[in-house]
Amino acid sequence: MTPKDCEHIAHLLFLAYTGEASPDQQEELSRWLKEDKHHDDLYRTIMDHERIRSEQEVFLLFNQQRAWAKISQKTYRKSKILSTNFLRYAAVFICFICVSVYFLYPDKPEKKIEIAELFLEPISPKAILQNEQDVRISLPGQCYSIKDSTRHKKQLETSEILRIYVPKGGEFELVLADGTRVWMNSETELKFPRAFTGDKRQVELVSGEAYFDVRKDRTKPFIVRNKNLDLTVLGTQFNIQNYSDEHEIITTLVEGAVQLSSDKTILHPGEQATYNKATRETQVETVDTELFTAWREGRLIFKSTRLETVLKQLSRWYDVKFVYEEERLKDLIFSGKMKKYDNGNVILGILKATGKIDFIQQDSVIHVKRQ
């Protein structure tokens, strides 16, 4: 099947998807569907409206800078037309890609599909709990409550301090003894007591990223410690990003108030503090908190984000390694969003569709190169 044939079939499928196919086009498509079982399989894939809408949204957002540059030059009415046309183009593009995957390589269809799905598998809930005696327990499910769970009581009761580690490609939710909930991102380690005693509640974010929903207790402030910076709260919701391979600690406040130990800075809702580990300086700015907390709800959002930052997150979420053929590629800017639980090769495909970069896999490494 030639690229031109693919384009024609993609157009027919697109018209069928939007309900705009003429009787003759419907008849032609019907004949084509009866020719081969694979044709019918492809038709069912294309007619998965939720899937197409999801991929179409990602395609649009990763091209939003170019699209809005054009839209800004038009009147409101023309802007709506341009936006609609762009969405239609995105849908046609997705249909064309699907057709190409199925039919440009008719002799090896299974191999082609395998290559398309090769890159990144969806993340899953997983964590390892460890006590001071180095007893390690692989936690089941997606949430673990220290107070309510009795399953591992005998292994844990001899230890006052516990550690929980979420590996790459994983995420987990933990409920501490006081009812505070902690959502941990991939490659995150948290140290905490089996039970809070004394006049404060203290945990240590050894490394990684976590979202805290702290149970209010004015008599016992909640403290999040780490090697460089302590955060003190009474009852609030906030996100901390402190990966060992990053030069900054980023604290984003959603509700309540947080005080930083570095210079006694107090954050208010909607503010973000960036602490430089080298200079020990803190900068505070107002941000859209959703950009930094959406991961907890299973969404990935990038807004004018450097490619290096995007791929670092994908590396942790999907447990893969990216290698750049040119250092300058790290500074390319992208925007977009997707569902975190989707197969991650979708976002790589959209990044590639911008015409700026390409990805080549060699064993367990994905090489990033310029198109």
Side-chain angles (χ1 to χ4, degrees), residues 277-294:
K277 297 177 184 179
T279 65
R280 299 184 180 180
E281 295 179 348
T282 302
Q283 291 186 342
V284 178
E285 61 180 331
T286 301
V287 298
D288 179 357
T289 59
E290 185 182 29
L291 297 175
F292 303 91
T293 62

Side-chain angles (χ1 to χ4, degrees), residues 12 15-16 18-26 29:
L12 290 178
L15 293 176
T18 58
E20 299 177 0
S22 66
D24 290 343
Q25 289 168 329
Q26 291 176 351
L29 182 59

